[in-house]
């Protein structure tokens, strides 16, 4: 195997890929070849580094130089200076990685300092399309260990002892789940990896699949061994083409090397993995709906019991684990339950990956020990809200979760604390909102989502969420009453208590949590007919401010001729006639028209 | 735009679909992949194709229609030459993706979910595309455009009008 003196790691995660990181990689390869360095320097494409805000990202080892916001035209200089002459091009480095003119290790940069990477351990480190890089980092060691040294019961015990809880949202203890399926006698059992990551604003599963697909295959095989399953399915969103492609490459490589397939490590254990694509239905993240979808039916959930561990896919005992949950398994097997318990809190051991997004400076993927406070995540890692705006709330758990306000920002994050606050962990989306976001609008946004995604099987979810949405739309239009607020609460409780599956049972959360913490904002919409954040269109008025030069452009654009004013004089909008179409604002070359 | 589906013209695609159906293990739930394959071949799932799948897989037509209409990615209508999807995930939404969508609808003169009269563009509001770091995001066919300002819309669209 060739040995290289330098390695150029180009992020090939979705974010960086979208900003043309593959072209940057190609340019590096060309230039390196041109300079005759291709025997000394290797260029690889890796999974996500996490700091998507600063992408596209290129890291050069052994120095660990972190080049952010890379551009194609910077490649020549980096190759000539850094790779040829050994001088790091400091001006192109991520600015936080330089302190007093010295390059500091990445692990000391604010964004990475408080993180602990377990599930994302090899994301952004290895080439996901090369199985040898995974194997060189102890890949498939854990599978070897369980197959040759442990009984299935011992495997389940280790996972139980580790206290690992399902990272897909529910937080159910993984070891316990496995132990339900293990004793059931059946001619066939199944392992399913749930990669139907439907929560808007969450992309950790995608990043794991794209950055380290082999760890999922290894974990599925381990789970298969533990419960006696010989077949696995990965159910992945069709919206994730790169993830599907890398996973397929990984499956093919692992099969060729005999790491999945028949008689693995000559122990007589067989395990096959197949990919199944979703087709854009959020409800398929729910386990019974997901299984229906694999079977080729409409993705509708059904009553539990029987639980999938007893009667699941094709009526056989089935264990469904989320991607991030599985990503922890090989590490736990290799390092032991106590090691895993050394991070996180007593009831929620380990780490959790969050996708930080919205109004925050460092958007990206972060993995932190459970129990870290929201403040540390949002300010220390995330760098706070941009443009000096005030932090208002953070939304966790997607359409099933709720908003947490600044008052609770010191709460340590784990499964139970978030639920107590009326939100939930969910799959780990964390969307930060500032003073410009309207909470009624956000609640409406999520309800619209659930209404569209409800499978329609049970009445509370199908009809109830629709009625809630209608009330919210009324409020956003300024036609709501105080009675509506009580109705929302009552209806929400009914839906929570009577829906068939998790989708309906959690659907009212975005409304109930905003109603609880931002009742004043709802009241402003209802009583004063005002949207304090300036978002709800029907409640806004357009005004012309004194930067108006009197160019008359707006008056000419106005479809109802409600703008008055002479040339070179300040214009005025007649509020009674205005239909709030916004044409004037778009036409104004001086930004002199505002909405409030 | 009413497009008549010509079975003869598509003979080759039907053959390919048949070969795919025959290569699948029927005991393992084949409908989803088959419909994906059919949509990949035909661009959408006209009733003729659904009937063909039903005949060849022995799955009742009612079930196939049920599945085809349940999942948002399966389309019963032909799509435009280019699909413009505006990400409506939370991260994009809080960064004003709605304004980008409105601007696109205006620029293309088409309703969300519909196809332009010239058959060039289909405008869609999509689910989270998972590149929240680049919010707000739009995707034209397979190309992702990040940090889109409504002002950038005419330029992006113009690239595809050529």
């Amino acid at each position: 195997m060739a040995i290289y003196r330098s390695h150029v790691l180009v992020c090939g995660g979705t974010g960086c890929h979208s900003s043309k990181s593959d072209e940057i990689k190609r340019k590096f390869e060309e230039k390196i070849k041109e300079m005759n360095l291709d025997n000394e320097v290797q260029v690889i494409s890796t999974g996500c580094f996490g700091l998507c805000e600063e992408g596209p990202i290129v890291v050069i080892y052994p120095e660990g130089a972190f080049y952010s916001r890379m551009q194609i035209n910077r490649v020549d200089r980096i190759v000539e200076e850094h790779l040829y002459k050994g001088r790091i091009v400091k001006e192109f480095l991520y600015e936080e990685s330089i302190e007093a003119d010295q390059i500091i290790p990445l692990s000391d940069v604010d964004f990475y300092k408080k993180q602990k990477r377990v599930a994302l351990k090899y994301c952004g480190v290895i080439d996901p399309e090369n199985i040898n890089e995974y194997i060189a980092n102890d890949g498939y060691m854990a599978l070897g260990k369980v197959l040759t040294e442990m009984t299935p019961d011992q495997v389940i015990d280790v996972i139980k002892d580790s206290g690992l809880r399902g990272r897909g949202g529910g937080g159910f203890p993984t070891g316990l789940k496995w132990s339900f399926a293990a004793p059931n006698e059946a001619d066939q059992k199944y392992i399913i990896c749930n990669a139907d990551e439907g929560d808007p604003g969450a992309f950790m599963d995608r990043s794991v699949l794209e950055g380290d697909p082999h760890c999922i295959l290894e974990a599925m095989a381990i789970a298969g061994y533990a419960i006696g399953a010989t077949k696995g399915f990965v159910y992945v969103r069709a919206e994730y083409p790169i993830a599907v492609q890398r996973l397929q490459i990984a499956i093919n490589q692992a099969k060729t090397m005999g790491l999945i397939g028949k008689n693995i490590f000559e122990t007589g254990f067989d395990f096959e993995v197949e990919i199944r694509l979703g087709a854009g239905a959020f409800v398929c993240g729910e386990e019974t709906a997901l299984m229906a979808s694999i079977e080729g039916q409409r993705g509708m959930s059904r009553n539990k019991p029987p639980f999938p561990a007893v009667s699941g896919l094709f009526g056989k005992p089935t264990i469904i684990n989320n991607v991030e949950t599985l990503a922890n398994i090989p590490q736990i097997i290799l390092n032991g339950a106590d090691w895993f318990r050394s991070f996180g809190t007593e009831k929620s051991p380990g780490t959790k990956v969050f996708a930080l997004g919205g109004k925050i400076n460092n958007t990206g993927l972060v993995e932190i020990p459970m129990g870290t406070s929201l403040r540390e995540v949002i300010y220390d890692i995330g760098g706070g809200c941009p443009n000096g705006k005030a932090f208002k709330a953070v939304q966790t758990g997607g359409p099933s979760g709720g908003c947490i306000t600044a008052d609770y920002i010191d709460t340590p994050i784990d499964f139970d604390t978030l639920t107590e606050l009326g939100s939930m962990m969910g799959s780990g989306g964390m969307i930060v909102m500032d003073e410009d976001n309207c909470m009624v609008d956000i609640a409406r946004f999520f309800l619209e989502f659930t209404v569209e995604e409800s499978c329609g099987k049970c009445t509370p979810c199908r009809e109830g969420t629709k009625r809630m949405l209608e009330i919210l739309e009324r409020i956003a239009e300024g036609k709501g009453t105080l009675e509506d607020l009580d109705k929302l609460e009552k209806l929400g409780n009914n839906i929570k208590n009577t829906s068939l599956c998790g989708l309906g049972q959690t659907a009212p959360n975005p409304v109930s949590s905003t109603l609880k913490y931002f009742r004043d904002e709802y009241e402003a919409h209802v009583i004063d007919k005002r949207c304090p954040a300036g978002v709800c269109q029907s409640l806004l008025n357009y005004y012309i401010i004194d930067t108006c030069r009197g160019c008359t452009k707006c008056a000419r654009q106005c479809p109802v001729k409600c703008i008055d004013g002479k040339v070179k004089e300040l214009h005025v909008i007649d509020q009674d006639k205005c239909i709030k179409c916004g044409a004037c604002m778009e036409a104004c070359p001086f930004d002199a028209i505002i909405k409030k | 735009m009413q497009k008549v589906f010509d079975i003869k013209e598509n003979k080759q695609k039907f053959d390919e679909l048949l070969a795919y159906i025959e290569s699948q293990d029927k005991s393992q739930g084949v409908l989803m992949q088959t419909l994906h394959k059919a949509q990949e071949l035909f661009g959408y799932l006209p009733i003729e194709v659904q009937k063909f799948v039903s005949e060849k897989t022995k799955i009742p037509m009612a079930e196939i229609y049920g599945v085809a209409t349940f999942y948002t990615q399966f389309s019963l209508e032909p799509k435009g030459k280019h699909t413009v999807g505006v990400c409506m995930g939370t991260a994009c939404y809080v960064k004003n993706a709605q304004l980008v969508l409105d601007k696109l609808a205006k620029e293309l003169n088409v309703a969300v979910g519909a196809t332009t009269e010239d058959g060039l563009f289909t405008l869609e509001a999509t689910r989270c595309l998972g590149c929240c770091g680049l919010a707000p995001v739009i995707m034209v066919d397979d190309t992702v455009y990040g940090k889109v300002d409504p002002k950038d819309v005419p330029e992006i669209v113009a690239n595809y009008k050529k």
Side-chain angles (χ1 to χ4, degrees):
Chain A
M1 204 169 109
I3 297 195
Y4 298 92
R5 68 167 165 85
S6 275
H7 295 265
V8 179
L9 275 53
V10 183
C11 178
T14 301
C16 292
H17 185 85
S18 307
S19 7
K20 315 262 185 282
S21 69
D22 49 341
E23 283 174 25
I24 292 172
K25 182 182 174 228
R26 223 171 301 135
K27 179 77 190 167
F28 262 109
E29 286 166 341
E30 274 169 34
K31 183 72 187 171
I32 285 168
K33 199 159 172 104
E34 187 192 309
M35 308 266 304
N36 270 330
L37 294 171
D38 50 335
N39 291 324
E40 301 166 40
V41 181
Q42 189 188 24
V43 184
I44 65 165
S45 169
T46 68
C48 182
F49 286 95
L51 193 50
C52 305
E53 179 73 28
E54 295 289 327
I57 288 166
V58 171
V59 180
I60 298 181
Y61 286 102
E63 298 90 339
F66 194 91
Y67 292 105
S68 62
R69 296 182 193 257
M70 263 304 286
Q71 294 164 13
I72 279 219
N73 57 20
R74 293 181 174 179
V75 171
D76 282 356
R77 246 189 87 193
I78 292 177
V79 175
E80 282 161 16
E81 289 291 313
H82 185 160
L83 293 171
Y84 189 67
K85 296 180 190 157
R87 298 184 201 134
I88 294 173
V89 189
K90 283 185 185 165
E91 54 184 290
F92 296 158
L93 289 180
Y94 174 46
E95 52 185 49
E96 306 256 322
S97 69
I98 308 181
E99 220 171 72
D101 220 34
Q102 292 293 309
I103 295 170
I104 54 174
L106 263 193
S107 51
D108 285 351
V109 171
D110 280 342
F111 182 77
Y112 290 105
K113 206 159 41 184
K114 294 200 168 167
Q115 295 198 44
K116 168 74 202 168
R117 287 188 150 208
V118 177
L120 297 178
K121 194 167 182 199
Y122 297 120
C123 266
V125 179
I126 60 170
D127 178 353
E129 297 184 9
N130 185 347
I131 190 171
N132 289 324
E133 298 210 359
Y134 182 63
I135 294 173
N137 285 292
D138 296 342
Y140 292 101
M141 280 266 283
L143 179 61
K145 184 174 168 187
V146 302
L147 291 183
T148 55
E149 294 171 23
M150 296 167 83
T151 65
D153 284 343
Q154 284 173 328
V155 178
I156 293 177
D157 285 342
V158 171
I159 302 302
K160 265 190 186 166
D161 291 345
S162 74
L164 175 67
R165 296 170 68 172
R167 302 297 196 238
F172 193 81
T174 307
L176 198 59
K177 202 177 195 178
W178 290 10
S179 71
F180 293 153
N184 296 324
E185 295 289 335
D187 53 348
Q188 177 73 62
K189 296 182 189 177
Y190 296 104
I191 296 291
I192 297 176
C193 168
N194 183 350
D196 189 55
E197 187 173 48
D199 269 16
F203 53 98
M204 58 286 299
D205 293 348
R206 169 176 206 160
S207 298
V208 173
L209 290 175
E210 288 176 359
D212 193 6
H214 283 286
C215 83
I216 300 303
L217 299 181
E218 181 177 10
M220 287 176 76
I222 293 170
Y225 175 72
I227 70 154
T230 54
K231 172 102 199 183
F233 287 100
V234 184
Y235 185 86
V236 55
R237 289 178 81 197
E239 287 95 330
Y240 287 180
I242 305 177
V244 174
Q245 186 198 345
R246 293 199 184 141
L247 196 61
Q248 191 59 57
I249 293 172
I251 292 175
N252 297 347
Q253 290 176 341
K255 261 190 189 161
T256 315
M257 298 191 95
L259 295 166
I260 55 173
K262 293 259 181 279
N263 195 15
I264 301 171
F265 293 125
E266 305 198 336
T267 55
F269 175 65
D270 303 337
F271 195 76
E272 299 285 348
V273 180
E274 198 181 309
I275 301 176
R276 288 297 172 99
L277 292 188
F282 176 67
V283 69
C284 288
E286 199 276 339
E287 38 183 33
T288 58
L290 188 155
M291 293 186 304
S293 182
I294 293 184
E295 290 171 2
Q297 301 161 18
R298 292 163 73 96
M300 290 169 126
S301 46
R302 61 156 173 82
N303 251 324
K304 289 190 274 190
F307 287 93
V310 178
S311 172
L313 189 64
F314 304 113
K316 307 292 183 192
T318 304
I319 286 299
I320 302 179
N321 286 134
N322 152 277
V323 173
E324 192 191 333
T325 315
L326 288 170
N328 282 292
I329 302 280
Q331 300 284 326
I332 294 173
I333 297 288
L334 286 178
N335 300 304
D338 289 337
W339 166 83
F340 190 72
R341 279 194 171 277
S342 68
F343 322 109
T345 61
E346 200 197 328
K347 286 189 175 163
S348 305
T351 59
K352 176 80 191 88
V353 184
F354 287 97
L356 267 183
K359 305 284 183 67
I360 189 148
N361 277 313
N362 300 331
T363 55
L365 213 54
V366 304
E367 182 167 356
I368 46 160
M370 296 269 194
T372 307
S373 74
L374 278 167
R375 182 186 298 279
E376 286 170 282
V377 176
I378 291 164
Y379 288 98
D380 299 347
I381 299 175
C385 296
N387 308 325
K389 297 272 184 181
F391 166 83
K392 187 170 182 179
V394 56
Q395 209 279 345
T396 66
S400 309
C403 292
I404 297 167
T405 62
D407 293 344
Y408 298 92
I409 198 168
D410 287 311
T411 309
I413 305 165
D414 71 19
F415 285 102
D416 310 302
T417 51
L418 292 184
T419 310
E420 269 165 41
L421 289 174
S423 183
M424 68 184 280
M425 180 79 83
S427 56
M430 216 180 237
I431 310 288
V432 178
M433 286 172 276
D434 67 9
E435 52 193 300
D436 291 339
N437 291 114
C438 166
M439 291 299 143
V440 178
D441 184 60
I442 292 296
R444 192 193 53 76
F445 165 78
F446 280 115
L447 249 288
E448 207 172 83
F449 182 91
T450 357
V451 167
E452 272 179 40
E453 294 297 343
S454 169
C455 79
K457 186 170 182 174
C458 73
T459 321
C461 175
R462 182 185 67 236
E463 301 295 331
T465 53
K466 181 97 179 116
R467 295 292 94 77
M468 283 182 85
L469 176 62
E470 284 165 5
I471 298 176
L472 284 170
E473 280 170 346
R474 215 151 62 209
I475 294 173
E477 280 169 17
K479 294 174 188 156
T481 61
L482 278 175
E483 216 188 355
D484 280 338
L485 302 187
D486 299 333
K487 254 190 219 160
L488 277 177
E489 256 169 16
K490 218 170 138 190
L491 194 51
N493 279 330
N494 280 340
I495 297 171
K496 262 185 213 175
N497 294 331
T498 55
S499 289
L500 180 60
C501 79
L503 192 147
Q505 285 158 11
T506 56
N509 281 350
V511 183
S512 43
S513 77
T514 47
L515 206 50
K516 184 170 158 194
Y517 298 119
F518 296 97
R519 203 181 172 91
D520 52 334
E521 223 174 292
Y522 278 86
E523 285 174 354
H525 284 71
V526 170
I527 304 171
D528 311 333
K529 311 291 175 204
R530 190 171 60 83
C531 174
V535 174
C536 298
Q537 289 290 340
S538 318
L539 301 177
L540 299 177
N541 289 318
Y542 287 84
Y543 296 95
I544 299 177
I545 52 173
D546 50 14
T547 45
C548 172
R549 302 270 191 87
C551 74
T552 74
K553 243 188 177 165
C554 57
R556 279 180 278 140
Q557 283 295 323
C558 179
V560 291
K561 304 287 169 221
C562 73
I563 303 179
D564 218 19
K566 288 189 182 129
V567 179
K568 294 191 180 167
E569 278 178 24
L570 186 73
H571 282 47
V572 183
I573 299 175
D574 183 345
Q575 299 297 343
D576 293 336
K577 282 195 205 154
C578 174
I579 55 163
K580 298 169 186 171
C581 67
C584 52
M585 197 169 174
E586 218 172 277
C588 179
F590 306 106
D591 292 330
I593 299 179
I594 57 161
K595 256 192 317 192
K596 65 174 183 187
Chain B
M1 189 181 64
Q2 192 63 41
K3 203 175 152 189
V4 185
F5 186 80
D6 189 337
I7 295 183
K8 277 186 200 141
E9 211 171 80
N10 287 292
K11 168 104 177 42
Q12 206 182 344
K13 290 178 182 169
F14 278 111
D15 289 345
E16 201 176 320
L17 184 58
L18 182 63
Y20 180 82
I21 292 172
E22 283 169 352
S23 72
Q24 297 291 305
D25 172 5
K26 303 271 183 306
S27 67
Q28 298 277 310
V30 291
L31 188 53
M32 292 287 286
Q33 305 95 289
T34 309
L35 293 183
H36 269 299
K37 181 76 190 174
Q39 180 151 306
E40 185 192 310
L41 288 168
F42 296 97
Y44 68 117
L45 299 174
I47 206 84
E48 292 84 353
V49 171
Q50 294 177 48
K51 277 184 187 156
F52 181 82
V53 173
S54 171
E55 269 167 39
K56 301 300 171 196
T57 56
K58 306 277 180 275
I59 297 170
M61 184 60 200
E63 226 172 271
I64 293 180
Y65 185 75
V67 169
T69 50
F70 182 85
Y71 296 93
T72 48
Q73 286 208 332
F74 295 136
S75 169
L76 270 56
E77 300 288 330
K79 290 202 172 166
K81 191 173 167 211
H82 301 291
T83 303
V84 185
V86 180
C87 178
M88 278 293 177
T90 324
C92 290
Y93 186 77
V94 302
K95 286 194 163 176
N96 292 329
Q98 183 69 48
L99 299 182
V100 178
L101 183 64
D102 292 347
K103 179 78 188 176
L104 269 163
K106 213 171 148 189
E107 185 73 25
L108 297 172
N109 191 22
V110 68
V112 179
T115 304
T116 51
E117 275 185 22
D118 56 8
L120 211 49
F121 295 100
T122 301
L123 179 63
E124 286 175 347
T126 69
R127 293 285 177 245
C128 183
L129 296 171
C131 12
C132 310
L134 300 173
V137 167
I138 72 170
M139 189 155 152
V140 185
D141 303 330
D142 284 335
T143 311
V144 173
Y145 294 85
K147 302 190 180 171
V148 178
D149 188 284
K151 287 190 183 114
D152 305 335
V153 164
E155 201 189 314
I156 295 173
V157 169
N159 285 333
Y160 293 87
K161 276 191 177 161
K162 284 167 202 162

